[in-house]
Amino acid sequence: MSTLVTGAITFALGCYALASILVIVRLVRGPSAQDRVSALDLLYFHAMLVMLVLSIGHRNDVYFEAALLIALFGFVSSAALAKFVLRGEVIE
Amino acid sequence: MNEMPGWEQIAAAGLLIASGILVVISSIGVLRLPDFFRRMHPPALAYTLGSWTVTLAAMLTTETGPVAHLLLIPLLLAITVPVTTVLLARVALFRRRAARSGDTPPPVTAPAVTLNEQPMAER
């Protein structure tokens, strides 16, 4: 692994941290409930990207499976929250 | 191990930097845009280009040849993200209608049939 890729990995992780902070500001401030749900979905996605970049850096496939699980849980939780905000119950 | 970086290392580094910049741009859009319907657009930048750039970088840096299982994540996102987005758009529309906000469009189910006076075959 060259120093070029290592520096790029560090830069990408810093960018994800900055983006997560910006999204958390929207999550806390968000005027409506759907704003908060979409911000939480984007936060799940940032965690998934961090896992993928760590799998590049550490050359380990376990991180990939963690990223897949985070993507699945992010979809399920966002869909359930959206249904709850829409109807007041998750399963009708 | 630590000689000159090959073309795949350079490409992977460029893709990683591009993904970081794209994700930051989409987050700035989420933070700064004024309306929820406008704030729904910037995450699409991260969901599509952000995930594809990171996946291609991961595929370029593997030493064991091409690996197809990394493509699972963009494909999974391509299936699940539209579902979440459409659900959230419906949530925002229904809640704005329930709040009697002025510029919300009405439901299209009942009046749309009466607006189309011609039958389907003649159009």
Side-chain angles (χ1 to χ4, degrees):
Chain A
M1 179 87 50
S2 62
T3 53
L4 183 66
V5 179
T6 315
I9 285 171
T10 311
F11 176 78
L13 287 178
C15 279
Y16 299 155
L18 175 65
S20 298
I21 289 171
L22 296 178
V23 171
I24 285 171
V25 170
R26 172 55 66 195
L27 179 70
V28 172
R29 196 203 274 170
S32 63
Q34 56 264 27
D35 279 312
R36 297 192 169 129
V37 176
S38 100
L40 195 65
D41 195 30
L42 198 54
L43 211 55
Y44 264 107
F45 177 72
H46 289 169
M48 195 206 78
L49 282 186
V50 167
M51 284 292 164
L52 271 181
V53 172
L54 283 180
S55 88
I56 297 176
H58 292 244
R59 301 190 167 278
N60 197 342
D61 257 358
V62 178
Y63 286 106
F64 167 74
E65 287 153 25
L68 206 57
L69 276 178
I70 288 176
L72 276 172
F73 278 116
F75 165 65
V76 172
S77 70
S78 299
L81 275 173
K83 289 282 285 181
F84 179 74
V85 173
L86 185 61
R87 301 270 186 210
E89 54 189 344
V90 179
I91 300 171
E92 317 179 18
Chain B
M1 188 72 189
N2 213 349
E3 64 271 14
M4 280 290 288
W7 66 270
E8 64 266 1
Q9 307 257 314
I10 296 173
L15 285 170
L16 281 174
I17 290 170
S19 85
I21 291 172
L22 284 168
V23 166
V24 167
I25 287 172
S26 82
S27 298
I28 290 172
V30 166
L31 188 62
R32 284 188 57 95
L33 286 179
D35 190 10
F36 175 72
F37 292 109
R38 287 176 204 166
R39 281 197 287 268
M40 283 176 61
H41 297 283
L45 191 68
Y47 286 139
T48 55
L49 269 176
S51 70
W52 274 106
T53 46
V54 174
T55 307
L56 287 180
M59 288 176 85
L60 281 173
T61 50
T62 51
E63 288 165 340
T64 61
V67 279
H69 69 269
L70 285 169
L71 286 175
L72 270 176
I73 284 188
L75 292 181
L76 184 76
L77 281 175
I79 295 169
T80 58
V81 163
V83 178
T84 316
T85 310
V86 168
L87 263 176
L88 283 174
R90 289 183 63 201
V91 166
L93 206 53
F94 285 171
R95 291 188 67 168
R96 275 180 64 164
R97 269 189 208 130
R100 301 257 181 269
S101 181
D103 53 346
T104 311
V108 293
T109 48
V113 181
T114 59
L115 281 178
N116 294 333
E117 291 178 357
Q118 295 178 344
M120 215 52 160
E122 293 179 12
R123 274 192 287 160

